[in-house]
């Protein structure tokens, strides 16, 4: 049974930081590219960041470049998203997603497995 479980969301002040974690099971994590996507209230799903299966190559949406860092630990079957300099517009439900490819995609439809999401709220 495939499972992706996100954690680490919560309330942060503008300019603050949060670290999201996604722990997975049920598939060969090291063979999958991983990404984070988010959905703000009333908006569609937006791809945020991705990391290749080897953990070396990363990509970011322009909206988060320079503020967010994605990483993975293949020994722990986990992927992380470190978020700094948070803005109110970062408020969303954040999802981790797995793609049965060594490379990521910026299209959410290209992913095979999804977690249930974790809420991030940025507000003073």
């Amino acid at each position: 049974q495939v499972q992706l479980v996100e954690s680490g969301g919560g309330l942060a002040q503008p300019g603050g930081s949060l670290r999201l974690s996604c722990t997975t099971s049920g598939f060969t994590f090291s063979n999958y590219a991983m990404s984070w996507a988010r959905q703000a209230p009333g908006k569609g799903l937006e791809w945020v960041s991705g990391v290749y299966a080897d953990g070396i190559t990363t990509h970011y949406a322009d909206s988060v470049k320079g503020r967010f860092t994605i990483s993975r630990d293949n020994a722990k079957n986990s992927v992380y998203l470190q978020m700094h300099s948070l803005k109110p517009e970062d408020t969303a439900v954040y999802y981790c997603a797995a793609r049965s490819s060594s490379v990521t995609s910026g299209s959410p439809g290209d992913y095979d497995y999804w977690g249930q999401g974790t809420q991030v709220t940025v507000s003073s």
Side-chain angles (χ1 to χ4, degrees):
Q1 180 183 0
V2 172
Q3 287 192 313
L4 290 80
V5 180
E6 301 96 336
S7 61
L11 176 65
Q13 291 190 340
S17 300
L18 285 173
R19 184 177 189 246
L20 306 183
S21 299
C22 173
T23 302
T24 75
S25 61
F27 63 101
T28 306
F29 181 78
S30 60
N31 290 346
Y32 281 66
M34 298 296 296
S35 280
W36 289 91
R38 66 187 181 185
Q39 187 164 24
K43 297 189 177 181
L45 193 61
E46 174 192 20
W47 175 84
V48 171
S49 179
V51 57
Y52 285 16
D54 63 7
I56 296 174
T57 302
T58 59
H59 294 288
Y60 299 91
D62 287 344
S63 58
V64 306
K65 201 171 293 182
R67 300 188 298 121
F68 291 8
T69 302
I70 191 171
S71 62
R72 65 188 292 160
D73 185 338
N74 285 351
K76 295 183 177 180
N77 295 337
S78 295
V79 62
Y80 309 97
L81 187 68
Q82 178 69 56
M83 306 185 293
H84 293 299
S85 303
L86 284 164
K87 304 176 181 180
E89 51 263 43
D90 294 319
T91 296
V93 177
Y94 284 71
Y95 301 90
C96 69
R99 183 181 189 220
S100 58
S101 169
S102 60
V103 301
T104 56
S105 167
S107 175
D110 289 340
Y111 288 79
D112 300 279
Y113 306 126
W114 291 82
Q116 83 290 347
T118 186
Q119 176 71 47
V120 171
T121 302
V122 184
S123 174
S124 55

